[in-house]
């Protein structure tokens, strides 16, 4: 079986986790800070808050930016549901902006058109969440410029994109956004089993994120509203959650971070090889914007359905039957039953829907061998009926 994505765990990773198990702090100890510092050093962001998932990071990022009832959050329909659900957790409403047909990312021109209409209707978004699909950065300069003009905040959902770059700088440095979120789920670029992180250059946002991660409780006298009662004292100053990451997970993260650049390089080599192996097939291969150095979380091919005699589903099933665990990223969020109940319907976002009818994520992870890649390419050719 060849999975579409899989973690890479070394003996060094295992030793790092065991060392924490033998130490004093199993959670919220020094290893969390070490992991945060390591991701800050990689990205150049000034602050980082490690949490138990990217979903949690998105939730507290929205809260830190004051998203609440009556507010709107806009994101792309071509994403995992968490990018939109975070608004609903806060009692806010969701709208989507359709995608660019080449990058499959949120399209800045469509965003601008929608902003112009929303301004007239008095329904401008408070937050826009661009998602760096497959690890390729969105057109952040354009989105950031629109943020300045229309007054929305930006949370980058970079769950696919740690290790990637935009205009020659690391994704996560916060040049074009208020907060960036990474995921460390096992299929992502690096893993902590479950885990996520929120990065920002704002000390104030970092403080809020830190409070929200752990019950809204602080031991920092400068954040307290009355004098401390004694050494035991803490105050709850906000309504937070238990979204903490454990130190075992952070140790795995620190160890994985040492291989991040190698991982992304390896993913580029695999993409290059796929580009060669698949060049002659009736497929649209991943187009790369010159501003982007992708983290290559995914390698998505689109079937040229006008050129083949089998259906998308038949190709998908034929590959699965050969134990090639292809996947599909993503079912457009607005077509999920939960979102259809809110009034969204098929046809609302045609580019994301067209992509969904043609896209297949083929295996992409660092331990694929050249033989694996050839098997995938051959099976894909057969599945297409050539
Ligand atoms: C994986 C993913 C998430 C959620 O990440 P978790 O760490 O599993 O919560 C959110 N957004 C996108 C785009 C993802 O791919």
């Amino acid at each position: 079986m060849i999975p579409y994505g899989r973690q890479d765990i070394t003996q060094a990773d295992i030793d790092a986790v065991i060392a924490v198990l033998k130490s004093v702090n199993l959670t919220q100890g020094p290893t969390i800070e070490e992991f945060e510092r390591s991701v800050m050093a990689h990205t150049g962001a000034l602050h980082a808050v490690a949490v138990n998932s990217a979903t949690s990071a998105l939730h507290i990022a929205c809260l830190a930016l004051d998203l609440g009832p009556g507010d709107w959050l806009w994101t792309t329909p071509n994403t995992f549901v968490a990018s939109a659900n975070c608004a609903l957790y806060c009692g806010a409403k969701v709208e989507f902006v359709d995608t660019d047909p080449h990058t499959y990312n949120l399209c800045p021109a469509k965003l601008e058109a929608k902003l112009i209409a929303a301004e007239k209707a008095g329904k401008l978004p408070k937050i826009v969440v661009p998602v760096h699909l497959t690890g390729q950065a969105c057109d952040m300069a354009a989105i950031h410029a629109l943020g300045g003009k229309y007054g929305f905040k930006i949370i980058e959902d970079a769950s696919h994109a740690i290790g990637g770059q935009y205009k020659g700088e690391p994704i996560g440095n916060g040049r074009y956004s208020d907060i960036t979120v990474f995921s460390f789920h096992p299929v992502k670029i690096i893993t902590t089993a479950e885990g996520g992180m929120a990065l920002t250059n704002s000390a104030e946002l970092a403080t809020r994120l830190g409070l929200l991660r752990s019950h809204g409780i602080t031991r920092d006298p400068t954040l307290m509203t009355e004098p401390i009662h004694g050494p035991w004292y803490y105050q709850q100053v906000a309504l937070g959650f238990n979204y903490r990451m454990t130190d075992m997970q952070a140790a795995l993260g620190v160890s994985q971070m040492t291989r991040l650049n190698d991982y992304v390089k390896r993913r580029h080599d695999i993409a290059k090889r796929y580009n060669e192996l698949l060049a002659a097939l009736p497929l649209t291969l991943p187009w790369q914007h010159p501003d982007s150095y992708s983290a290559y979380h995914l390698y998505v091919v689109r079937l040229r359905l006008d050129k083949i005699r089998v259906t998308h589903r038949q190709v998908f099933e034929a590959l699965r039957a050969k134990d090639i665990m292809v996947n599909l990223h993503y079912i457009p969020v607005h077509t999920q039953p939960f979102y259809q109940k809110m009034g969204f319907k098929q046809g609302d976002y045609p580019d994301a829907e067209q992509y969904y009818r043609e896209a297949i994520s083929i295996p992409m992870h660092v331990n694929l061998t050249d033989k694996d890649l050839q098997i995938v390419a051959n099976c894909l050719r057969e599945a297409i009926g050539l």
Side-chain angles (χ1 to χ4, degrees):
M1 191 192 75
I2 305 181
Y4 93 84
R6 186 167 54 195
Q7 69 277 13
D8 171 58
I9 300 294
T10 65
Q11 190 58 45
D13 292 340
I14 294 166
D15 294 344
V17 173
I18 290 172
V20 169
L21 280 167
K22 292 178 174 168
S23 77
V24 179
N25 292 291
L26 296 189
T27 192
Q28 214 64 13
T31 319
I32 291 288
E33 285 170 28
E34 191 184 346
F35 184 37
E36 289 169 343
R37 279 195 304 274
S38 137
V39 179
M40 282 155 60
H42 170 83
T43 57
L46 298 180
H47 306 277
V49 177
V51 288
N52 59 359
S53 71
T55 304
S56 302
L58 286 164
H59 182 194
I60 62 175
C62 288
L63 290 173
L65 292 169
D66 281 326
L67 190 75
D71 293 329
W72 293 88
L73 176 147
W74 293 5
T75 188
T76 165
N78 191 5
T79 185
F80 185 55
V81 291
S83 317
N85 287 345
C86 56
L88 306 179
Y89 297 157
C90 303
K93 284 180 276 192
V94 177
E95 264 292 332
F96 298 95
V97 179
D98 207 356
T99 48
D100 175 282
H102 302 291
T103 62
Y104 320 142
N105 279 329
L106 187 148
C107 171
K110 289 168 190 157
L111 174 61
E112 182 164 27
K114 202 174 167 100
L115 286 164
I116 291 167
E119 188 172 41
K120 291 198 185 108
K123 285 165 61 176
L124 282 172
K126 186 173 231 173
I127 296 176
V128 171
V129 180
V131 180
H132 305 315
L133 194 81
T134 74
Q136 166 156 248
C138 295
D139 185 349
M140 290 308 299
I143 295 168
H144 183 254
L146 290 169
K149 186 166 176 195
Y150 291 94
F152 57 80
K153 305 285 186 192
I154 300 172
I155 301 171
E156 288 174 72
D157 184 344
S159 292
H160 297 184
I162 191 169
Q165 295 176 6
Y166 174 66
K167 290 187 188 283
E169 294 181 357
I171 291 175
N173 72 354
R175 186 177 295 285
Y176 302 98
S177 65
D178 298 279
I179 298 173
T180 302
V181 167
F182 290 136
S183 172
F184 310 121
H185 181 278
V187 297
K188 309 288 165 79
I189 309 286
I190 65 159
T191 192
T192 60
E194 295 282 357
M197 199 176 281
L199 294 112
T200 180
N201 293 327
S202 155
E204 192 191 328
L205 286 176
T207 300
R208 299 180 83 169
L209 291 164
L211 282 171
L212 291 163
R213 162 171 69 182
S214 195
H215 307 284
I217 281 172
T218 183
R219 289 191 154 77
D220 177 353
T222 66
L223 300 177
M224 293 186 185
T225 55
E226 53 179 274
I228 56 172
H229 300 174
W232 63 86
Y233 194 57
Y234 59 81
Q235 273 189 7
Q236 184 188 350
V237 296
L239 183 61
F241 308 88
N242 179 354
Y243 282 171
R244 295 186 302 259
M245 176 183 274
T246 68
D247 273 41
M248 285 99 75
Q249 291 169 295
L252 182 53
V254 170
S255 184
Q256 294 250 316
M257 275 301 286
T258 64
R259 303 195 299 279
L260 174 60
N261 291 334
D262 294 339
Y263 280 166
V264 173
K265 203 178 154 294
R266 173 73 188 130
R267 286 171 177 272
H268 274 259
D269 291 343
I270 292 169
K272 197 163 157 254
R273 187 75 180 117
Y274 272 146
N275 289 345
E276 294 162 3
L277 290 166
L278 303 175
L281 300 187
L283 300 169
T284 304
L285 301 182
W287 180 78
Q288 297 298 295
H289 193 286
D291 285 343
S292 162
Y293 174 76
S294 179
Y296 266 120
H297 167 52
L298 301 172
Y299 189 98
V300 175
V301 300
R302 285 179 75 163
L303 304 180
R304 305 272 302 273
L305 290 170
D306 53 332
K307 297 220 159 36
I308 61 179
R309 287 209 201 87
V310 283
T311 65
H312 177 240
R313 182 171 175 161
Q314 281 171 331
V315 174
F316 199 99
E317 286 176 344
L319 287 163
R320 285 270 178 110
K322 290 262 165 83
D323 272 346
I324 296 175
M325 291 296 123
V326 288
N327 220 316
L328 212 175
H329 304 90
Y330 287 94
I331 305 161
V333 177
H334 69 283
T335 66
Q336 294 288 355
F338 188 79
Y339 279 83
Q340 292 212 29
K341 267 192 266 164
M342 284 182 264
F344 295 103
K345 55 187 190 312
Q346 288 286 346
D348 284 349
Y349 303 99
D351 279 288
E353 292 170 27
Q354 188 60 32
Y355 166 95
Y356 175 62
R357 287 191 280 271
E358 302 170 357
I360 301 179
S361 302
I362 64 175
M364 171 56 100
H365 53 88
V366 295
N367 290 320
L368 289 168
T369 63
D370 194 62
K371 185 148 175 281
D372 291 333
L373 304 183
Q374 287 180 38
I375 292 170
V376 172
N378 287 339
C379 290
L380 186 51
R381 183 167 34 76
E382 282 168 26
I384 287 171
L386 295 170

